[in-house]
Amino acid sequence: MSSFFILHNSFISKARKPLSLLFIVYSLLSFVACNDFLTIYPTDRIVGEDFWKTKADVDQMVDGCYLSMLNDEVQSRAIIWGAYRSDELVKRDDYTDLTLDNINAVNLLPTMGYCSWASLYKVINNCNVVLNHAPDVMAVDPEFTEGDYQVVRAQMLALRSLCYFYLVRAFRDVPYMSHSVENDNEIEPVPQLPPAEVLEHCLDDLQEARRFIMKSGGYGQNDWRNWGYITTDAVDAIMADIYLWRAAMTHNNADYEKVIELVDRVVEAKDAYYQKYNTEVVGTGKKDPYHLYDGEYAQLEIFHFNNGNSRESILEWQYNGINNANSELEKYYYKTDNNAQHGRLMASKIFNSIETNANKEGAQKMFFSKDDYRYWNIIYDANNAEAEQLSIRKMVYAESSQSVVSVKSNAGLSKSSSRDFDNFRQNWIVYRITDLMLMKAEALVAMMRDTEDIEGGEPTEDEVERDAKYLKEAFDLVQVVNLRSMEKNSKDTLKVTNFRTKEAMEALVLAERERELCFEGKRWWDLMRYCYRGMKGVNINLTLNKQAVAPQLRKQMLDMIIRKYKAGEGDAVSYKMDSEPYLYWPIYESELKVNNLLNQNPVWIQEKSTEKN
């Protein structure tokens, strides 16, 4: 890996109360930016009236905004919000944490720290600060041109939109701020907006950002900024994700068509970059537009900490292990401290089972073949019937580059704790190409007619032909992702004839996303989209507190969630989670105290009395 952020930041808030949206005033960025041997920004300098004078000042503030996404609280929420609530993670049995226990039992309490959205709003406010002040620098520093400003503006609009998208998925109804708060006089209550309005703001900003943001690969061959900064591919990926989310809530085919368009654009751009810079053959070479790594080495090439910035990646948060160690990923997945053997979270039991019928519709197990390298390499103790809990190997192992576990093994490797605990260097992948390929597959399937669409009447010949086309295209995308992880010449492959209905193909896409993207903070969002596609009466133009009747959750989603529970435990969870508001977190109690325009998620108001910690 060529280069990393060599940065250190200390965000100093003027707030004297607990972190709150209203008290995320101008964060005085204080960090070191090392360029070769020159420290261009001393740690004791205060950002104030003497700042915003040069292009270097702006560049450092932009770096600071990206750096704020590396904050421990942001990373922990990527894991807890995006993965832990799903079926793929469980708390380690002998680790004591009542908060994680309550989350697992669907007792989401407004006093829980994970309900705080302050870390994301801090990034948003930092972006707004740059958007507010950067134009003034053009008047005093001729080296900061209009073109430079437009690139900076584009990055801040895109990064802000990504933060809002996280917030919408976690809380649904959130305050939207496009102006910076830099002193106490500017603090004012901000009401929540429904998803329709926030997502539309994000899409407008992303469309604007794409006009000026750096083209993917524009920083030159192997430059970390092609992955560490938001580029055109990253903008397209974020927009595709937002359109997919909104389409699931509204059942709008026009949004699904946008997903397909955007994914195709990313694939074409990454193919062009590959053809320009890479001489080694990956996949099937020039005839393969995806250029995926072979399955035997894919986990190593994408997730091994010595590599970083995989060719398959679109956006990665850059951790160098010196000034910005990824300590939260380490503590959740690797080990809690230097003397521990395991992290706070373990893989669910579903990762250690094989479905005997490779193409069984609605299969409850994760893998269908031991020929899948992912089965052996994403967890420790794969295929070990005596393993009571499964440690995560993906993203945390430290074995050499030759440490791929053979698909011919009788049992996977036992947990290794050989990786250094201090200075934990591990990038966090936000988007990568297989993620987008499967987004497109999901969109294609969603545009098919429901198998039992009585109201629609008998399908026309054109509709039948169209659905067959969508089904085949979706299957082909899943097959590309799946086959690259299978041992060559394996007979245990997917067969399109076993997935002839929309429901079967939808389940296949969802299952492949979990096999491919597990532990990457995706699964809960995937399940929510799956749930929404099977729900009626969802209104994204209304906040939760204005809904007369909350739409009921899709039973199939609940069936998947409770797979991780022991016998009997999942029944209580399934019984309790019955309507849309249960998909979201409560608003943090301290936010409600300082902002009288906020409304609590209605299903959690009654839960406060059940607080256990």
Side-chain angles (χ1 to χ4, degrees):
M1 182 174 180
S2 49
S3 180
F4 285 84
F5 286 146
I6 310 297
L7 299 170
H8 170 71
N9 77 315
S10 174
F11 293 97
I12 306 171
S13 174
K14 291 183 180 179
R16 292 179 294 275
K17 298 182 179 180
L19 281 176
S20 158
L21 171 62
L22 289 180
F23 287 89
I24 300 174
V25 297
Y26 178 28
S27 297
L28 301 177
L29 302 180
S30 175
F31 54 84
V32 176
C34 298
N35 185 358
D36 295 327
F37 303 103
L38 177 64
T39 300
I40 59 177
Y41 188 66
T43 57
D44 59 349
R45 181 175 175 184
I46 298 298
V47 179
E49 293 181 359
D50 60 339
F51 202 68
W52 302 109
K53 301 296 184 183
T54 67
K55 180 179 184 297
D57 291 341
V58 178
D59 290 342
Q60 290 170 74
M61 293 295 288
V62 170
D63 282 348
C65 290
Y66 280 107
L67 197 60
S68 57
M69 285 298 291
L70 277 61
N71 181 277
D72 286 351
E73 291 191 5
V74 175
Q75 179 62 76
S76 67
R77 280 149 184 76
I79 293 171
I80 298 298
W81 290 356
Y84 180 62
R85 291 194 69 190
S86 75
D87 55 346
E88 67 184 21
L89 290 171
V90 296
K91 184 180 73 68
R92 196 182 82 223
D93 282 346
D94 60 349
Y95 179 68
T96 301
D97 189 313
L98 292 178
T99 297
L100 292 178
D101 289 337
N102 274 334
I103 294 171
N104 199 50
V106 199
N107 294 323
L108 302 189
L109 308 171
T111 53
M112 287 177 173
Y114 295 116
C115 297
S116 173
W117 55 31
S119 57
L120 272 300
Y121 275 108
K122 177 172 282 188
V123 181
I124 290 168
N125 196 59
N126 290 338
C127 292
N128 288 338
V129 168
V130 175
L131 290 168
N132 185 30
H133 291 284
D136 299 334
V137 179
M138 287 187 289
V140 293
D141 185 358
E143 292 188 7
F144 188 59
T145 65
E146 174 70 22
D148 294 329
Y149 163 67
Q150 291 295 355
V151 172
V152 165
R153 177 173 174 267
Q155 290 189 71
M156 296 299 95
L157 290 175
L159 183 57
R160 185 177 73 185
S161 297
L162 178 60
C163 291
Y164 275 122
F165 186 40
Y166 275 113
L167 291 167
V168 167
R169 287 179 291 180
F171 298 96
R172 191 185 189 276
D173 311 323
V174 298
Y176 184 85
M177 298 176 63
S178 58
H179 62 278
S180 61
V181 178
E182 304 183 34
N183 59 64
D184 293 343
N185 295 329
E186 296 173 355
I187 296 175
E188 58 183 17
V190 181
Q192 293 149 292
L193 297 181
E197 294 185 49
V198 179
L199 295 180
E200 192 62 37
H201 284 310
C202 293
L203 290 169
D204 288 344
D205 283 348
L206 288 163
Q207 290 283 8
E208 175 68 10
R210 201 183 188 282
R211 296 174 55 208
F212 301 102
I213 210 158
M214 284 288 287
K215 182 179 179 180
S216 298
Y219 293 102
Q221 185 177 11
N222 296 325
D223 191 302
W224 63 268
R225 290 173 293 181
N226 291 321
W227 297 271
Y229 285 167
I230 294 179
T231 60
T232 50
D233 282 358
V235 167
D236 287 342
I238 299 168
M239 282 198 292
D241 211 358
I242 293 175
Y243 277 118
L244 191 63
W245 183 268
R246 189 170 73 176
M249 296 185 79
T250 62
H251 308 169
N252 181 2
N253 278 359
D255 281 353
Y256 285 125
E257 290 170 354
K258 288 295 296 183
V259 175
I260 295 168
E261 174 190 332
L262 289 161
V263 172
D264 286 346
R265 194 156 68 183
V266 174
V267 170
E268 291 173 5
K270 287 190 73 65
D271 182 37
Y273 178 83
Y274 173 85
Q275 300 293 351
K276 180 177 181 180
Y277 286 119
N278 293 281
T279 56
E280 62 180 297
V281 175
V282 175
T284 58
K286 292 185 178 181
K287 295 182 181 180
D288 174 12
Y290 308 114
H291 308 291
L292 304 182
Y293 291 108
D294 288 339
E296 184 177 3
Y297 297 105
Q299 296 294 315
L300 293 171
E301 296 291 348
I302 298 171
F303 299 107
H304 197 279
F305 72 100
N306 281 331
N307 298 342
N309 294 327
S310 162
R311 185 190 295 111
E312 292 187 18
S313 287
I314 296 166
L315 181 61
E316 296 190 19
W317 300 139
Q318 309 288 306
Y319 289 90
N320 67 3
I322 301 172
N323 307 101
N324 48 24
N326 197 344
S327 58
E328 290 302 288
L329 182 148
E330 176 183 35
K331 292 174 183 177
Y332 282 107
Y333 289 172
Y334 181 38
K335 53 184 183 179
T336 53
D337 58 62
N338 199 30
N339 298 317
Q341 294 296 313
H342 302 283
R344 298 166 182 162
L345 305 180
M346 309 287 274
S348 167
K349 61 185 178 182
I350 61 176
F351 287 91
N352 204 20
S353 57
I354 298 290
E355 179 59 59
T356 54
N357 184 345
N359 299 284
K360 179 180 178 182
E361 182 177 340
Q364 291 296 296
K365 298 178 181 178
M366 177 64 60
F367 292 97
F368 61 80
S369 173
K370 292 184 180 180
D371 287 347
D372 194 325
Y373 281 101
R374 295 171 299 189
Y375 173 69
W376 299 100
N377 288 282
I378 62 177
I379 61 170
Y380 288 103
D381 290 316
N383 203 42
N384 181 353
E386 297 180 357
E388 296 183 1
Q389 286 201 294
L390 305 169
S391 289
I392 296 167
R393 185 169 186 256
K394 185 178 183 179
M395 292 184 278
V396 300
Y397 60 89
E399 296 92 337
S400 72
S401 60
Q402 303 301 315
S403 61
V404 179
V405 183
S406 170
V407 297
K408 301 300 183 184
S409 302
N410 292 319
L413 294 176
S414 296
K415 174 64 184 288
S416 169
S417 299
S418 60
R419 184 171 180 178
D420 290 341
F421 183 82
D422 297 329
N423 305 322
F424 195 81
R425 186 181 76 194
Q426 183 70 48
N427 283 6
W428 178 259
I429 298 177
V430 184
Y431 291 107
R432 55 191 180 98
I433 192 64
T434 51
D435 183 3
L436 266 70
M437 292 166 65
L438 295 172
M439 284 187 197
K440 178 180 175 180
E442 185 176 322
L444 286 163
V445 176
M447 289 194 298
M448 295 172 59
R449 283 171 52 95
D450 292 334
T451 304
E452 298 180 0
D453 190 353
I454 300 176
E455 294 181 1
E458 288 296 322
T460 65
E461 186 175 333
D462 287 344
E463 288 174 333
V464 172
E465 183 177 344
R466 181 204 63 188
D467 285 356
K469 176 177 178 290
Y470 288 164
L471 188 147
K472 180 62 166 60
E473 289 180 5
F475 178 83
D476 287 345
L477 285 163
V478 174
Q479 184 76 306
V480 169
V481 175
N482 186 272
L483 277 180
R484 80 86 168 261
S485 292
M486 301 292 286
E487 184 187 36
K488 288 182 173 59
N489 303 317
S490 172
K491 295 181 181 180
D492 292 336
T493 56
L494 299 169
K495 299 176 179 62
V496 68
T497 53
N498 292 303
F499 300 94
R500 294 176 176 174
T501 66
K502 176 179 180 177
E503 291 74 21
M505 188 60 67
E506 182 185 37
L508 174 64
V509 173
L510 185 65
E512 190 63 31
R513 281 188 63 84
E514 185 164 30
R515 285 189 284 268
E516 178 68 13
L517 304 168
C518 59
F519 317 138
E520 297 179 45
K522 304 284 184 179
R523 179 62 174 176
W524 180 250
W525 315 134
D526 289 355
L527 289 174
M528 285 182 69
R529 291 196 308 274
Y530 176 80
C531 185
Y532 272 122
R533 286 195 299 272
M535 292 170 61
K536 296 181 180 179
V538 175
N539 190 338
I540 67 171
N541 295 296
L542 294 178
T543 54
L544 288 175
N545 69 298
K546 293 182 179 180
Q547 290 187 125
V549 178
Q552 298 299 294
L553 299 185
R554 186 178 185 177
K555 180 181 181 300
Q556 293 92 325
M557 179 211 187
L558 298 176
D559 291 343
M560 281 182 280
I561 291 174
I562 65 175
R563 294 188 300 173
K564 71 176 182 180
Y565 293 90
K566 296 177 182 178
E569 292 180 352
D571 295 339
V573 171
S574 181
Y575 175 79
K576 184 172 186 178
M577 289 187 65
D578 63 357
S579 59
E580 182 187 10
Y582 281 101
L583 297 173
Y584 297 97
W585 290 82
I587 306 301
Y588 199 34
E589 188 174 64
S590 65
E591 298 285 353
L592 296 168
K593 291 179 179 178
V594 297
N595 185 349
N596 59 8
L597 297 183
L598 295 179
N599 291 287
Q600 181 61 276
N601 181 328
V603 301
W604 302 121
I605 294 175
Q606 64 212 37
E607 299 293 330
K608 184 178 177 182
S609 61
T610 68
E611 184 173 350
K612 300 178 182 178
N613 67 318

